Structures are given as C-alpha cells and as structure tokens.
Amino acid sequence: MIDPSHGGYDTGANFGGKLLEKDITLKLARELRKELEERGIASRMLRDSDVDVALDRRAEITNEQHAGIYIALHAGRPGRGVRVYTPRLVDPQPPAAGRFLPWESAQAASLDRSKAAAQAIVDELRKKDLTVATLGIPIRPLNNIIMPAVAVELAPEGDDVQSLESPKRNSGIVSAIASAIAQMRGQMGARP
Amino acid sequence: MIPRHFQITMALVLLAILTSGLVIARLTHREEAITLRAADAAPVAPLVAGKQEHIQLLVAYDDDQALRWRPADVFLPADRGLRAKETLRSVLAQYLQNPSPHPLARGADIRDVYFIGADTLIVDTTAQFADGHPSGILLEEMTLASLIETLAANVPGVNKVKFLVEGKERETLAGHADLMSFYQTAAVHELAKEFK
C-alpha cells in the first residue's frame, strides 16, 4: 500500500511558492506504483488525486486490504537526502484478549518486520549514493497499521527546494524503494 | 478696546496650544499601543516567583538536526504543576528568541498543565503552538521530544505526557507527530537519544 501523505486541505509542508508536500508525495507515489508494476508487484495508492483522507482511515484501508507492506511518502525540512522512519510505540499496551488489537499499538507485532523493511530500503538508497538517515518515530498512522510499515521522507538538498522535484533524484529513490520491496516480497505474510 | 492684531495673535496662540495638545495626546496613545503589542509578541518568560534553580533544558537545533542539553537559570515554583508549566515555557522561550535554534510561531505557549493521577501530565498548548508550527516529521518530533525530555529531567514522577491544543485533542502537531497518544517518558528518552 502506497500512501502519498496529506492531500486536500492538508497540504503538509510548504516549501515556498506553490511547492507543497501533498503534491510532491502524490507525484512520487505514482512513480513508485509504476516502478512496482514494471517489476510485477501489485500495489494500491491510498489517494490518487488531491483529496483529504483522514489518518485513521488510511490505517483502516491498509489493514482491511491486508497489504503486504505500507509505505508512507513524505517531504520535509531540515537536512538533506532521504530519511527512512520506522514506527515507535510511545505507549505500548498489553495485547487485548481475543481478536482485537489496541489501536494505538496495533503495529506491535510487526515492528521487527518494519525495521527489516526499513533497513532494506536504506541499503538500496545507499547503493544509489544518497545520504540516508533512519529513525524510529511516533508518527500517525504507522502505529495503527498491523503489517510492516515504513515512512520515507525526502529532504531538499540544502536550500534548493526544487531538488524535491528532480526527476533523476526521485527516479533513483523510487527505484531503491521498489528494489527493497521486491527483496522483501518473499518475507511478507500477505500480498504483494 | 483690544487692538485687532492682538486678538488675532491670541487666537493663533490658543489654536497652536490646542493643536499641540491633541498631537501630544495622539502620540502618547500610539506609543502605549506599540508598547502593548511588543509585550504581546515578546517570548514567554518564566514567572518571577519561586526559587531560582539551575536546570538543564533539552534544546532542538534544526541546523544539525540534534537535541542538546543547555543550562538555564529559571524561577520554579514548588507546586509540581506550576513547576512543569514553567519548565515547558523555559524551553519554548529558547525557540521564541531571535535568532532561534528551532523557530516556533509567535504566541506558541503553554496555557495550562494538570495531572491525572500522580504520574500523567496533560499539557494544554495555545493554538499558535500547533497552527504555526513548521510542518515536517523531524521538526515536529524534535519539538515534542525536547519538551517531554526536559519535563522528565526536571519534574520528578512524570511518566506519561499528553498534549492538547486550546483544551482539545488534535491528531497531529502539524501534520505528522502524533498528538493523540499518551507519551511514556521512558519511550521518549530512547527517541531523544537518537537525536543526540
């Protein structure tokens, strides 16, 4: 499941002028979908137009679809290169009885697989000579997702915000993410 | 009989005095307004009450994407709630100065804090704290981590922290960092380590 973060009234970060995070993530998501299709990997996007989808709804759709992996795409300052984030449970709850999971820590059982997926993406990005940092953080809706979940954030190259739209750079990034997903494919419980 | 030229001179003098008075009154009023506006925009400062303490604040530095401890002399009341509030405001004061290591919007402040039980702190922030916060995963996480870690270091017994905005729950700080969860200070301590 590819999540182009933000959309509609939720513009995300504003990089000055008309360059908005919601537009950058949508464009990148479409490129990633195409790259995955070329590798024979089925994927879905949580939005394919400029619409607002609530964070909880994004997690619900992903969980309902039994996706093999959830990749959220972001763009933001500061720094440079690419940052790969894994979920971090800030208020872990004990497993509930029966089939229900605590919403705020639904990710708990998949945390190790999320970290493995993030590491695979980091390795592939580094092969493309990109500056990469990795961090575990509590951003929504990663903790509400029951399968491996990773967020990838593009940072502008210093003050050059136009670098966020660089076709060459972005092509390298989506290619690296797709390669990592292809590698992980056998380890994923469900699709793709 | 008063000469006509003397009458005209007197009238002009009276008119000049009246005009000067009006101008002075208006200038004084404008000066007061400017002073009031400046006071509103000034960075939050700790109350001058309680005992001055030498504490450590965990401050976010955007340029190197790091959190670093910085000493500060702060007047802290004995009451735990007030102590928590002034500790948080001391961190925000670092961000509201110019130049700032991690700029926040003017008006970003703590409205109130209160405890639920002995160890859970609810922090109610102003609308400007969230509405004017720069959007970005790292920027938002650095703000929350610096506030929570500074609280944990200076207010004993705080194990969980939850943020509100103008008294209400909000999903995220500025589109990314989770504001719905209760943050365990121990978990944030691990996060803060990664920023150092």
Side-chain angles (χ1 to χ4, degrees):
Chain A
M1 184 67 75
I2 306 167
D3 185 357
S5 300
H6 311 288
Y9 290 112
D10 174 13
T11 61
N14 185 330
F15 297 96
K18 291 179 179 172
L19 194 54
L20 301 172
E21 184 180 5
K22 66 171 183 176
D23 300 324
I24 296 166
T25 59
L26 182 57
K27 202 170 167 185
L28 205 65
R30 287 173 177 155
E31 286 179 43
L32 179 57
R33 179 176 59 185
K34 187 166 172 273
E35 185 81 27
L36 289 169
E37 273 171 11
E38 286 171 5
R39 293 165 190 257
I41 300 172
S43 65
R44 285 194 61 182
M45 284 168 56
L46 274 166
R47 68 178 177 96
D48 197 5
S49 60
D50 187 19
V51 292
D52 196 354
V53 183
L55 292 168
D56 280 350
R57 186 68 195 131
R58 291 175 196 247
E60 284 168 7
I61 294 170
T62 306
N63 292 339
E64 285 162 10
Q65 296 286 321
H66 301 287
I69 188 168
Y70 167 88
I71 306 280
L73 299 171
H74 288 270
R77 293 191 178 94
R80 56 181 61 241
V82 185
R83 289 184 281 266
V84 180
Y85 299 104
T86 53
R88 179 183 290 271
L89 303 177
V90 288
D91 188 19
Q93 303 292 321
R99 298 174 59 198
F100 296 101
L101 296 171
W103 183 248
E104 298 301 336
S105 53
Q107 168 66 203
S110 294
L111 207 48
D112 287 343
R113 288 190 300 153
S114 295
K115 287 177 183 170
Q119 190 55 52
I121 293 172
V122 168
D123 292 344
E124 289 298 319
L125 287 166
R126 287 193 174 134
K127 282 183 194 168
K128 308 265 180 200
D129 287 331
L130 287 157
T131 307
V132 190
T134 181
L135 194 66
I137 44 143
I139 60 161
R140 295 177 70 85
L142 264 62
N143 287 352
N144 314 123
I145 288 169
I146 57 173
M147 58 278 303
V150 175
V152 178
E153 183 185 43
L154 279 66
E157 292 302 320
D159 293 330
D160 179 18
V161 292
Q162 295 305 322
S163 61
L164 291 167
E165 293 197 302
S166 160
K168 189 181 168 195
R169 182 174 180 251
N170 291 357
S171 162
I173 291 167
V174 295
S175 165
I177 298 171
S179 294
I181 291 173
Q183 285 172 33
M184 294 283 296
R185 202 176 182 188
Q187 302 165 34
M188 291 166 192
R191 290 188 298 263
Chain B
M1 179 81 181
I2 300 169
R4 187 173 175 77
H5 71 274
F6 188 72
Q7 288 178 351
I8 293 169
T9 306
M10 286 301 290
L12 286 173
V13 168
L14 284 172
L15 187 66
I17 290 170
L18 191 65
T19 310
S20 307
L22 285 171
V23 169
I24 288 168
R26 189 168 177 173
L27 285 174
T28 308
H29 184 71
R30 189 188 297 173
E31 197 62 34
E32 281 173 0
I34 289 169
T35 309
L36 279 174
R37 274 205 302 273
D40 282 348
V44 287
L47 293 173
V48 186
K51 197 176 83 178
Q52 189 178 40
E53 293 185 34
H54 189 70
I55 65 169
Q56 298 289 325
L57 311 175
L58 189 63
V59 179
Y61 292 84
D62 292 353
D63 285 348
D64 44 7
Q65 301 153 61
L67 299 173
R68 284 200 291 273
W69 292 102
R70 180 191 273 188
D73 292 313
V74 181
F75 285 93
L76 291 178
D79 176 83
R80 273 177 88 215
L82 291 174
R83 183 182 176 90
K85 184 176 180 181
E86 293 312 320
T87 301
L88 292 169
R89 297 183 86 200
S90 301
V91 178
L92 293 183
Q94 302 284 325
Y95 300 147
L96 292 169
Q97 58 190 343
N98 192 14
S100 166
H102 179 73
L104 295 188
R106 228 164 48 164
D109 202 354
I110 307 299
R111 290 176 76 225
D112 201 3
V113 300
Y114 50 93
F115 278 93
I116 297 178
D119 69 344
T120 302
L121 187 73
I122 307 296
V123 178
D124 187 12
T125 65
T126 58
Q128 293 94 324
F129 172 74
D131 293 343
H133 197 289
S135 180
I137 295 175
L138 214 56
L139 296 172
E140 294 171 44
E141 296 297 340
M142 285 166 78
T143 299
L144 295 187
S146 83
L147 289 171
I148 295 169
E149 187 75 340
T150 302
L151 259 181
N154 295 291
V155 185
V158 178
N159 292 330
K160 283 188 180 185
V161 181
K162 159 92 174 166
F163 288 90
L164 302 177
V165 180
E166 292 287 328
K168 294 176 184 165
E169 283 195 310
R170 191 176 283 204
E171 277 198 318
T172 64
L173 177 51
H176 302 92
D178 185 2
L179 288 194
M180 295 299 285
S181 294
F182 283 77
Y183 282 80
Q184 286 189 9
T185 52
V188 176
H189 183 64
E190 294 304 310
L191 170 63
K193 272 198 235 171
E194 295 194 36
F195 279 115
K196 291 171 199 163

